[in-house]
Amino acid sequence: QAQLVESGGGSVQAGGSLRLSCVASKITYSGNSMPAMAWFRQAPGKEREGVAATSLGRDEIYYADSVKGRFTASLDNAGNTLYLEMNNLKPDDTAMYLCAAYRESGSNWRYPGSYHYWGQGTQVTVAS
């Protein structure tokens, strides 16, 4: 059974840092390349928001404007783990952070419906 397991969330003060991890296993996909992966976040009462995502070829990373310059996403050498290094955290970053995988060609990386697989999420809370 396909799994995406997130970890690394927690509570920090504004200006602090956290590093999230998402380990993918048994993901079924078409084609020869491993699937694109992404980080989303969702705060209570708000829509799920795309934070960062790999390109379909996994050679580029896309970021939401709200996190550019503060967050860095990367893949491990095996390509099974997606990280999100979060620096200079702000209270507005408080949310459940979820990992997603397998986005088909032509779909929008920011749109949650573009992804086939989702993890359960890890909570990030930033105190002012």
Side-chain angles (χ1 to χ4, degrees):
Q1 185 173 351
Q3 272 195 320
L4 294 172
V5 180
E6 303 96 333
S7 62
S11 298
V12 296
Q13 295 290 319
S17 298
L18 285 171
R19 188 190 197 208
L20 307 184
S21 300
C22 170
V23 180
S25 60
K26 300 180 181 178
I27 301 293
T28 302
Y29 54 92
S30 62
N32 298 319
S33 302
M34 295 185 73
M37 296 178 69
W39 284 103
F40 281 75
R41 65 186 181 186
Q42 189 164 20
K46 294 188 176 181
E47 291 187 354
R48 193 166 291 189
E49 173 193 19
V51 175
T54 71
S55 62
L56 293 183
R58 295 181 148 211
D59 53 353
E60 291 184 75
I61 303 288
Y62 311 127
Y63 294 97
D65 288 345
S66 58
V67 305
K68 279 181 182 176
R70 299 189 299 122
F71 290 12
T72 303
S74 61
L75 289 164
D76 72 340
N77 288 337
N80 294 324
T81 302
L82 181 68
Y83 300 103
L84 186 67
E85 185 77 35
M86 306 187 295
N87 297 314
N88 191 20
L89 282 160
K90 304 176 181 180
D92 283 349
D93 295 318
T94 295
M96 180 70 76
Y97 282 70
L98 303 106
C99 180
Y102 193 7
R103 183 178 79 248
E104 296 195 26
S105 177
S107 58
N108 187 331
W109 76 265
R110 301 173 188 269
Y111 178 53
S114 296
Y115 296 86
H116 289 249
Y117 300 101
W118 288 89
Q120 294 298 309
T122 185
Q123 178 68 35
V124 171
T125 302
V126 184
S128 57

